[in-house]
Amino acid sequence: MSGEGRLLPRLARIAAFVYYRIGYSGRPVAVDGPVLVVANHPNSLLDPVLVLAAARRPLRFLAKAPLFDDPLTGWFVRLGGAIPVHRRQDATAGAVQNDTMFASVHAALLAGDAIGLFPEGVSHSAASLAPLKTGAARIALGAAHDLGRAFPVVAIGLVFRAKDTFRSRALVIRGDPVGWDDLAGRGSDDAEAVRDLTTRIEAALRRLTVNLQSWQDQPAVEMAARIWEAERGADPAHGDRVFRVAEATRILEQARGASDPDVVALAEGLATHAGRLRRLRLRPADLGADVSGWRGVAWGVRTLPLLLPVWAAVGVAGWLVFLVPYHLTGFVVGRLALTEDIRSTWKALLGAGIYLVWLATVTTLAWRYASWWVALLMLAAFPLLGMAGLMIRERWRGAWHDARRFLLLRSRRSLVASLATRQRELAGHLEQFLERYPADEEH
């Protein structure tokens, strides 16, 4: 792999850290040897960035052929050594050319490279995974035939709070390798083995992602997971929450399929409770929070340093330094007719260009009207100042929300007690549904 290839995972982690408030969970991907990494595809070209950041090793992605000729994306896919995939709608000779693609992928895996692909075949904003293509299974079985053994096939789930919003929360979950040793010797021409492995890959991805019947179910199932955490003392780690959301979704779907008369009342109760808490800007865990005076004092001790003049100066200066490119990026992207799954890609790529032009402009002006060392100082300091200021302002917003919640919980105790009672009732109903619709062996 080239020097650029080794550098890309580090750049991907930086880009992911800048654009999202991101969290990673799950066991690391093997650092060497052949690996096939598969992921869901909700967010266009930012998905490869997040998968590469999570893998922490170079990945050669499969990318649809038109991306290589697109002036916005061509440089990006070529930089990482991506392998083109010719779809039927892209070229009449696609099938012949994809024979070359499979040969290239097999050769890369035999050489110990890691391959990344998105088996849904297209990025989208649907509430659930799209049906998987069989390409991942065919690649794995074909390469296993050449290697003489199975190798790791690792699923990665990408979960977003608001995927097209800068600095929103994102979670990248690395799954355990898919078990397929029993299929490795059967080859890519075995249709039954291809279907079986595709089913296993889909099951692995579903365990790591949120799959709803419709987006209307999202408030109810997310509230179910948060209530369970708050009332049963479960680990609120983001990766575990995704699994609990998946479990709530499963129960909801099974109850609907069984025409359970209680399911409508449960879903409506969860959604109503979510709406009440959202209007008050509270979380389920807040209803049982300690709001004693000593708790407030402890919070103040932790928060007051953020108001010291030096941190206030960094926060404000970081905002002023990149105020123009930030609003210019939003202005331009806001006037483009973009679907939700590609808006973040345009924000990231266009925004990076605008920020670089802005930085080059101010440093050039500093060089001309001040001195070369001032220009170099600005070139080095402005990106760090901008990021430090952004993080301080996020801490300010978090501190303000914490203070508001604390005062609300202390001043409206009867309302909070009523909500807490209702939340305990919902937790009891959830437990009844869990007993009524237990998970099978696969779950």
Short mmCIF file of all heavy atoms in Angstrom, two decimals, residues 327-379:
data_model
loop_
_atom_site.label_atom_id
_atom_site.label_comp_id
_atom_site.label_asym_id
_atom_site.label_seq_id
_atom_site.Cartn_x
_atom_site.Cartn_y
_atom_site.Cartn_z
N HIS A 327 -20.66 30.18 7.39
CA HIS A 327 -21.95 30.64 6.87
C HIS A 327 -21.99 30.59 5.34
O HIS A 327 -23.05 30.36 4.76
CB HIS A 327 -22.23 32.06 7.37
CG HIS A 327 -22.64 32.10 8.81
ND1 HIS A 327 -23.87 31.68 9.24
CD2 HIS A 327 -21.96 32.49 9.92
CE1 HIS A 327 -23.96 31.81 10.56
NE2 HIS A 327 -22.81 32.30 10.99
N LEU A 328 -20.84 30.79 4.69
CA LEU A 328 -20.81 30.69 3.23
C LEU A 328 -21.10 29.27 2.77
O LEU A 328 -21.85 29.05 1.81
CB LEU A 328 -19.45 31.16 2.71
CG LEU A 328 -19.29 31.18 1.18
CD1 LEU A 328 -20.34 32.06 0.54
CD2 LEU A 328 -17.88 31.64 0.81
N THR A 329 -20.52 28.27 3.47
CA THR A 329 -20.80 26.87 3.15
C THR A 329 -22.29 26.57 3.32
O THR A 329 -22.92 25.96 2.44
CB THR A 329 -19.99 25.93 4.05
OG1 THR A 329 -18.59 26.17 3.85
CG2 THR A 329 -20.29 24.47 3.73
N GLY A 330 -22.87 26.98 4.43
CA GLY A 330 -24.29 26.76 4.64
C GLY A 330 -25.15 27.45 3.60
O GLY A 330 -26.16 26.90 3.15
N PHE A 331 -24.76 28.65 3.20
CA PHE A 331 -25.51 29.41 2.19
C PHE A 331 -25.51 28.68 0.85
O PHE A 331 -26.56 28.52 0.21
CB PHE A 331 -24.91 30.80 2.03
CG PHE A 331 -25.55 31.63 0.96
CD1 PHE A 331 -26.73 32.32 1.20
CD2 PHE A 331 -24.97 31.72 -0.30
CE1 PHE A 331 -27.32 33.08 0.20
CE2 PHE A 331 -25.54 32.48 -1.31
CZ PHE A 331 -26.73 33.16 -1.06
N VAL A 332 -24.33 28.21 0.43
CA VAL A 332 -24.22 27.55 -0.88
C VAL A 332 -24.95 26.21 -0.87
O VAL A 332 -25.76 25.93 -1.77
CB VAL A 332 -22.74 27.36 -1.26
CG1 VAL A 332 -22.63 26.55 -2.55
CG2 VAL A 332 -22.06 28.71 -1.43
N VAL A 333 -24.70 25.37 0.13
CA VAL A 333 -25.32 24.05 0.19
C VAL A 333 -26.84 24.18 0.33
O VAL A 333 -27.59 23.39 -0.24
CB VAL A 333 -24.74 23.22 1.34
CG1 VAL A 333 -25.50 21.91 1.52
CG2 VAL A 333 -23.26 22.93 1.09
N GLY A 334 -27.29 25.18 1.07
CA GLY A 334 -28.72 25.36 1.26
C GLY A 334 -29.47 25.70 0.00
O GLY A 334 -30.70 25.55 -0.05
N ARG A 335 -28.76 26.15 -1.03
CA ARG A 335 -29.41 26.50 -2.29
C ARG A 335 -29.26 25.44 -3.37
O ARG A 335 -29.63 25.65 -4.52
CB ARG A 335 -28.87 27.85 -2.78
CG ARG A 335 -29.60 28.99 -2.12
CD ARG A 335 -28.77 30.25 -1.96
NE ARG A 335 -29.56 31.25 -1.23
CZ ARG A 335 -29.77 31.22 0.08
NH1 ARG A 335 -29.25 30.23 0.81
NH2 ARG A 335 -30.50 32.16 0.68
N LEU A 336 -28.71 24.29 -2.98
CA LEU A 336 -28.60 23.17 -3.90
C LEU A 336 -29.71 22.17 -3.63
O LEU A 336 -30.07 21.94 -2.48
CB LEU A 336 -27.24 22.50 -3.75
CG LEU A 336 -26.01 23.35 -4.04
CD1 LEU A 336 -24.74 22.57 -3.71
CD2 LEU A 336 -25.99 23.82 -5.49
N ALA A 337 -30.23 21.58 -4.68
CA ALA A 337 -31.28 20.56 -4.54
C ALA A 337 -30.62 19.22 -4.24
O ALA A 337 -30.30 18.45 -5.16
CB ALA A 337 -32.12 20.49 -5.81
N LEU A 338 -30.40 18.93 -2.97
CA LEU A 338 -29.68 17.73 -2.56
C LEU A 338 -30.57 16.83 -1.73
O LEU A 338 -31.34 17.31 -0.90
CB LEU A 338 -28.45 18.12 -1.73
CG LEU A 338 -27.44 19.06 -2.39
CD1 LEU A 338 -26.38 19.48 -1.38
CD2 LEU A 338 -26.78 18.39 -3.59
N THR A 339 -30.44 15.53 -1.94
CA THR A 339 -31.14 14.58 -1.09
C THR A 339 -30.41 14.47 0.25
O THR A 339 -29.23 14.82 0.37
CB THR A 339 -31.21 13.19 -1.75
OG1 THR A 339 -29.89 12.73 -2.03
CG2 THR A 339 -32.01 13.26 -3.04
N GLU A 340 -31.12 13.96 1.26
CA GLU A 340 -30.56 13.93 2.61
C GLU A 340 -29.28 13.11 2.68
O GLU A 340 -28.37 13.44 3.45
CB GLU A 340 -31.61 13.36 3.57
CG GLU A 340 -31.20 13.41 5.03
CD GLU A 340 -32.23 12.80 5.95
OE1 GLU A 340 -33.26 12.30 5.44
OE2 GLU A 340 -32.02 12.81 7.17
N ASP A 341 -29.19 12.02 1.90
CA ASP A 341 -28.03 11.13 2.02
C ASP A 341 -26.77 11.68 1.36
O ASP A 341 -25.69 11.12 1.57
CB ASP A 341 -28.36 9.75 1.45
CG ASP A 341 -28.73 9.80 -0.01
OD1 ASP A 341 -29.73 10.46 -0.34
OD2 ASP A 341 -28.04 9.19 -0.83
N ILE A 342 -26.87 12.76 0.57
CA ILE A 342 -25.65 13.33 -0.03
C ILE A 342 -25.35 14.74 0.49
O ILE A 342 -24.33 15.31 0.15
CB ILE A 342 -25.73 13.36 -1.56
CG1 ILE A 342 -26.84 14.31 -2.04
CG2 ILE A 342 -25.94 11.98 -2.13
CD1 ILE A 342 -26.82 14.53 -3.55
N ARG A 343 -26.24 15.30 1.33
CA ARG A 343 -26.03 16.68 1.78
C ARG A 343 -24.75 16.82 2.59
O ARG A 343 -24.00 17.78 2.43
CB ARG A 343 -27.24 17.15 2.58
CG ARG A 343 -27.25 18.67 2.83
CD ARG A 343 -28.52 19.12 3.50
NE ARG A 343 -29.66 18.92 2.60
CZ ARG A 343 -30.73 18.19 2.89
NH1 ARG A 343 -30.81 17.58 4.07
NH2 ARG A 343 -31.72 18.07 2.03
N SER A 344 -24.47 15.86 3.47
CA SER A 344 -23.26 15.95 4.28
C SER A 344 -22.00 15.85 3.43
O SER A 344 -20.99 16.49 3.73
CB SER A 344 -23.26 14.85 5.35
OG SER A 344 -24.11 15.18 6.41
N THR A 345 -22.05 15.03 2.37
CA THR A 345 -20.89 14.93 1.49
C THR A 345 -20.58 16.27 0.86
O THR A 345 -19.42 16.71 0.80
CB THR A 345 -21.15 13.88 0.39
OG1 THR A 345 -21.30 12.60 1.01
CG2 THR A 345 -20.01 13.84 -0.60
N TRP A 346 -21.62 16.97 0.38
CA TRP A 346 -21.41 18.28 -0.21
C TRP A 346 -20.93 19.28 0.83
O TRP A 346 -20.06 20.11 0.56
CB TRP A 346 -22.71 18.77 -0.87
CG TRP A 346 -22.89 18.22 -2.25
CD1 TRP A 346 -23.41 17.02 -2.59
CD2 TRP A 346 -22.51 18.86 -3.47
NE1 TRP A 346 -23.39 16.85 -3.96
CE2 TRP A 346 -22.85 17.98 -4.53
CE3 TRP A 346 -21.94 20.09 -3.78
CZ2 TRP A 346 -22.62 18.30 -5.85
CZ3 TRP A 346 -21.71 20.41 -5.12
CH2 TRP A 346 -22.06 19.51 -6.13
N LYS A 347 -21.51 19.23 2.03
CA LYS A 347 -21.06 20.13 3.08
C LYS A 347 -19.58 19.90 3.40
O LYS A 347 -18.81 20.87 3.54
CB LYS A 347 -21.88 19.92 4.35
CG LYS A 347 -23.25 20.56 4.35
CD LYS A 347 -23.91 20.36 5.71
CE LYS A 347 -25.28 21.01 5.77
NZ LYS A 347 -25.93 20.79 7.10
N ALA A 348 -19.19 18.65 3.50
CA ALA A 348 -17.81 18.34 3.87
C ALA A 348 -16.83 18.73 2.76
O ALA A 348 -15.82 19.40 3.03
CB ALA A 348 -17.68 16.86 4.20
N LEU A 349 -17.11 18.31 1.53
CA LEU A 349 -16.17 18.57 0.43
C LEU A 349 -16.16 20.05 0.05
O LEU A 349 -15.09 20.66 -0.10
CB LEU A 349 -16.52 17.71 -0.77
CG LEU A 349 -16.36 16.19 -0.57
CD1 LEU A 349 -16.76 15.44 -1.83
CD2 LEU A 349 -14.93 15.86 -0.18
N LEU A 350 -17.34 20.63 -0.13
CA LEU A 350 -17.41 22.05 -0.49
C LEU A 350 -16.89 22.91 0.66
O LEU A 350 -16.15 23.88 0.45
CB LEU A 350 -18.84 22.42 -0.84
CG LEU A 350 -19.07 23.85 -1.37
CD1 LEU A 350 -18.30 24.06 -2.66
CD2 LEU A 350 -20.57 24.09 -1.61
N GLY A 351 -17.29 22.55 1.88
CA GLY A 351 -16.84 23.31 3.03
C GLY A 351 -15.33 23.27 3.19
O GLY A 351 -14.70 24.29 3.52
N ALA A 352 -14.72 22.11 2.96
CA ALA A 352 -13.27 22.01 3.08
C ALA A 352 -12.60 22.93 2.06
O ALA A 352 -11.61 23.61 2.39
CB ALA A 352 -12.83 20.57 2.85
N GLY A 353 -13.14 22.97 0.84
CA GLY A 353 -12.58 23.87 -0.16
C GLY A 353 -12.71 25.33 0.22
O GLY A 353 -11.76 26.11 0.09
N ILE A 354 -13.89 25.71 0.73
CA ILE A 354 -14.12 27.10 1.13
C ILE A 354 -13.22 27.47 2.30
O ILE A 354 -12.63 28.57 2.33
CB ILE A 354 -15.60 27.31 1.48
CG1 ILE A 354 -16.46 27.20 0.21
CG2 ILE A 354 -15.82 28.66 2.16
CD1 ILE A 354 -17.95 27.26 0.46
N TYR A 355 -13.07 26.57 3.26
CA TYR A 355 -12.20 26.85 4.41
C TYR A 355 -10.75 27.02 3.96
O TYR A 355 -10.03 27.90 4.46
CB TYR A 355 -12.30 25.72 5.43
CG TYR A 355 -13.43 25.88 6.42
CD1 TYR A 355 -14.76 25.75 6.03
CD2 TYR A 355 -13.18 26.17 7.76
CE1 TYR A 355 -15.80 25.90 6.92
CE2 TYR A 355 -14.22 26.31 8.67
CZ TYR A 355 -15.53 26.18 8.25
OH TYR A 355 -16.56 26.34 9.14
N LEU A 356 -10.29 26.17 3.04
CA LEU A 356 -8.91 26.29 2.57
C LEU A 356 -8.68 27.59 1.82
O LEU A 356 -7.64 28.26 1.99
CB LEU A 356 -8.57 25.09 1.68
CG LEU A 356 -8.40 23.75 2.40
CD1 LEU A 356 -8.21 22.61 1.40
CD2 LEU A 356 -7.23 23.79 3.38
N VAL A 357 -9.64 27.98 0.99
CA VAL A 357 -9.52 29.25 0.27
C VAL A 357 -9.51 30.42 1.25
O VAL A 357 -8.73 31.37 1.11
CB VAL A 357 -10.68 29.40 -0.74
CG1 VAL A 357 -10.71 30.82 -1.33
CG2 VAL A 357 -10.53 28.39 -1.88
N TRP A 358 -10.38 30.35 2.27
CA TRP A 358 -10.42 31.41 3.28
C TRP A 358 -9.09 31.49 4.03
O TRP A 358 -8.55 32.58 4.24
CB TRP A 358 -11.56 31.13 4.25
CG TRP A 358 -11.59 32.02 5.46
CD1 TRP A 358 -11.21 31.71 6.72
CD2 TRP A 358 -12.02 33.38 5.50
NE1 TRP A 358 -11.38 32.78 7.57
CE2 TRP A 358 -11.88 33.82 6.84
CE3 TRP A 358 -12.52 34.27 4.55
CZ2 TRP A 358 -12.21 35.12 7.24
CZ3 TRP A 358 -12.85 35.56 4.95
CH2 TRP A 358 -12.71 35.97 6.27
N LEU A 359 -8.56 30.34 4.43
CA LEU A 359 -7.29 30.32 5.16
C LEU A 359 -6.16 30.85 4.29
O LEU A 359 -5.30 31.62 4.76
CB LEU A 359 -6.98 28.89 5.62
CG LEU A 359 -5.77 28.69 6.53
CD1 LEU A 359 -5.92 29.51 7.81
CD2 LEU A 359 -5.59 27.21 6.86
N ALA A 360 -6.13 30.45 3.01
CA ALA A 360 -5.10 30.95 2.10
C ALA A 360 -5.22 32.45 1.91
O ALA A 360 -4.20 33.16 1.83
CB ALA A 360 -5.22 30.23 0.75
N THR A 361 -6.45 32.96 1.86
CA THR A 361 -6.66 34.39 1.65
C THR A 361 -6.16 35.21 2.84
O THR A 361 -5.43 36.20 2.66
CB THR A 361 -8.16 34.67 1.42
OG1 THR A 361 -8.60 33.96 0.26
CG2 THR A 361 -8.40 36.17 1.23
N VAL A 362 -6.53 34.81 4.05
CA VAL A 362 -6.12 35.61 5.22
C VAL A 362 -4.62 35.52 5.46
O VAL A 362 -4.00 36.50 5.88
CB VAL A 362 -6.92 35.18 6.47
CG1 VAL A 362 -8.40 35.46 6.31
CG2 VAL A 362 -6.68 33.72 6.82
N THR A 363 -4.02 34.36 5.20
CA THR A 363 -2.57 34.26 5.41
C THR A 363 -1.82 35.04 4.34
O THR A 363 -0.77 35.64 4.62
CB THR A 363 -2.12 32.79 5.40
OG1 THR A 363 -2.59 32.14 4.21
CG2 THR A 363 -2.66 32.05 6.61
N THR A 364 -2.33 35.07 3.12
CA THR A 364 -1.71 35.87 2.06
C THR A 364 -1.76 37.35 2.39
O THR A 364 -0.77 38.09 2.21
CB THR A 364 -2.39 35.60 0.71
OG1 THR A 364 -2.27 34.22 0.38
CG2 THR A 364 -1.76 36.44 -0.39
N LEU A 365 -2.92 37.79 2.90
CA LEU A 365 -3.04 39.19 3.29
C LEU A 365 -2.10 39.52 4.44
O LEU A 365 -1.50 40.61 4.48
CB LEU A 365 -4.49 39.49 3.69
CG LEU A 365 -5.52 39.48 2.55
CD1 LEU A 365 -6.93 39.64 3.10
CD2 LEU A 365 -5.20 40.59 1.54
N ALA A 366 -1.96 38.57 5.39
CA ALA A 366 -1.04 38.79 6.50
C ALA A 366 0.40 38.89 6.00
O ALA A 366 1.19 39.71 6.48
CB ALA A 366 -1.18 37.67 7.52
N TRP A 367 0.76 38.05 5.04
CA TRP A 367 2.11 38.07 4.47
C TRP A 367 2.38 39.42 3.79
O TRP A 367 3.45 40.00 3.95
CB TRP A 367 2.24 36.94 3.45
CG TRP A 367 3.66 36.69 2.99
CD1 TRP A 367 4.52 37.58 2.41
CD2 TRP A 367 4.36 35.47 3.06
NE1 TRP A 367 5.70 37.00 2.11
CE2 TRP A 367 5.65 35.68 2.51
CE3 TRP A 367 4.05 34.20 3.54
CZ2 TRP A 367 6.60 34.67 2.42
CZ3 TRP A 367 5.00 33.19 3.43
CH2 TRP A 367 6.25 33.43 2.89
N ARG A 368 1.34 39.91 3.09
CA ARG A 368 1.55 41.15 2.32
C ARG A 368 1.59 42.38 3.21
O ARG A 368 2.42 43.28 3.01
CB ARG A 368 0.43 41.29 1.29
CG ARG A 368 0.54 42.56 0.44
CD ARG A 368 -0.46 42.55 -0.68
NE ARG A 368 -0.35 43.75 -1.49
CZ ARG A 368 -1.10 44.00 -2.57
NH1 ARG A 368 -2.01 43.10 -2.96
NH2 ARG A 368 -0.93 45.12 -3.25
N TYR A 369 0.69 42.42 4.21
CA TYR A 369 0.55 43.65 4.98
C TYR A 369 1.20 43.58 6.36
O TYR A 369 1.27 44.60 7.06
CB TYR A 369 -0.94 44.00 5.14
CG TYR A 369 -1.59 44.36 3.84
CD1 TYR A 369 -2.45 43.45 3.21
CD2 TYR A 369 -1.33 45.57 3.21
CE1 TYR A 369 -3.05 43.77 1.99
CE2 TYR A 369 -1.91 45.90 2.00
CZ TYR A 369 -2.77 45.00 1.40
OH TYR A 369 -3.35 45.32 0.19
N ALA A 370 1.65 42.40 6.78
CA ALA A 370 2.35 42.29 8.06
C ALA A 370 3.74 41.73 7.81
O ALA A 370 4.64 42.48 7.44
CB ALA A 370 1.56 41.41 9.03
N SER A 371 3.93 40.45 7.98
CA SER A 371 5.23 39.82 7.72
C SER A 371 5.03 38.34 7.48
O SER A 371 3.97 37.79 7.74
CB SER A 371 6.19 40.04 8.90
OG SER A 371 5.70 39.38 10.06
N TRP A 372 6.08 37.72 6.98
CA TRP A 372 5.97 36.29 6.65
C TRP A 372 5.74 35.44 7.90
O TRP A 372 5.02 34.46 7.86
CB TRP A 372 7.22 35.82 5.92
CG TRP A 372 8.48 35.92 6.73
CD1 TRP A 372 9.35 36.97 6.80
CD2 TRP A 372 8.99 34.92 7.62
NE1 TRP A 372 10.38 36.71 7.67
CE2 TRP A 372 10.19 35.45 8.18
CE3 TRP A 372 8.58 33.64 7.99
CZ2 TRP A 372 10.96 34.74 9.10
CZ3 TRP A 372 9.34 32.94 8.90
CH2 TRP A 372 10.51 33.48 9.45
N TRP A 373 6.37 35.84 9.03
CA TRP A 373 6.22 35.02 10.23
C TRP A 373 4.81 35.15 10.82
O TRP A 373 4.30 34.19 11.40
CB TRP A 373 7.28 35.37 11.26
CG TRP A 373 7.21 36.76 11.84
CD1 TRP A 373 7.87 37.86 11.41
CD2 TRP A 373 6.42 37.16 12.96
NE1 TRP A 373 7.56 38.94 12.18
CE2 TRP A 373 6.66 38.54 13.15
CE3 TRP A 373 5.56 36.50 13.83
CZ2 TRP A 373 6.06 39.27 14.16
CZ3 TRP A 373 4.96 37.22 14.84
CH2 TRP A 373 5.20 38.59 15.00
N VAL A 374 4.18 36.30 10.65
CA VAL A 374 2.78 36.43 11.07
C VAL A 374 1.89 35.52 10.23
O VAL A 374 0.99 34.85 10.75
CB VAL A 374 2.32 37.90 10.98
CG1 VAL A 374 0.81 38.01 11.25
CG2 VAL A 374 3.09 38.77 11.96
N ALA A 375 2.16 35.48 8.93
CA ALA A 375 1.37 34.63 8.04
C ALA A 375 1.54 33.16 8.41
O ALA A 375 0.55 32.40 8.47
CB ALA A 375 1.78 34.87 6.59
N LEU A 376 2.76 32.72 8.67
CA LEU A 376 3.00 31.34 9.04
C LEU A 376 2.35 31.01 10.39
O LEU A 376 1.81 29.91 10.58
CB LEU A 376 4.50 31.06 9.11
CG LEU A 376 5.25 31.04 7.77
CD1 LEU A 376 6.73 30.78 7.99
CD2 LEU A 376 4.66 29.99 6.84
N LEU A 377 2.40 31.97 11.31
CA LEU A 377 1.76 31.77 12.60
C LEU A 377 0.25 31.59 12.45
O LEU A 377 -0.35 30.71 13.06
CB LEU A 377 2.06 32.94 13.53
CG LEU A 377 1.45 32.87 14.94
CD1 LEU A 377 2.02 31.67 15.70
CD2 LEU A 377 1.72 34.16 15.70
N MET A 378 -0.35 32.42 11.61
CA MET A 378 -1.79 32.31 11.37
C MET A 378 -2.13 30.99 10.69
O MET A 378 -3.12 30.33 11.02
CB MET A 378 -2.27 33.49 10.52
CG MET A 378 -2.20 34.83 11.24
SD MET A 378 -2.61 36.21 10.14
CE MET A 378 -4.30 35.85 9.75
N LEU A 379 -1.30 30.58 9.74
CA LEU A 379 -1.53 29.32 9.02
C LEU A 379 -1.52 28.14 9.97
O LEU A 379 -2.32 27.20 9.84
CB LEU A 379 -0.46 29.15 7.94
CG LEU A 379 -0.59 27.91 7.04
CD1 LEU A 379 -1.87 27.97 6.21
CD2 LEU A 379 0.63 27.79 6.13
#
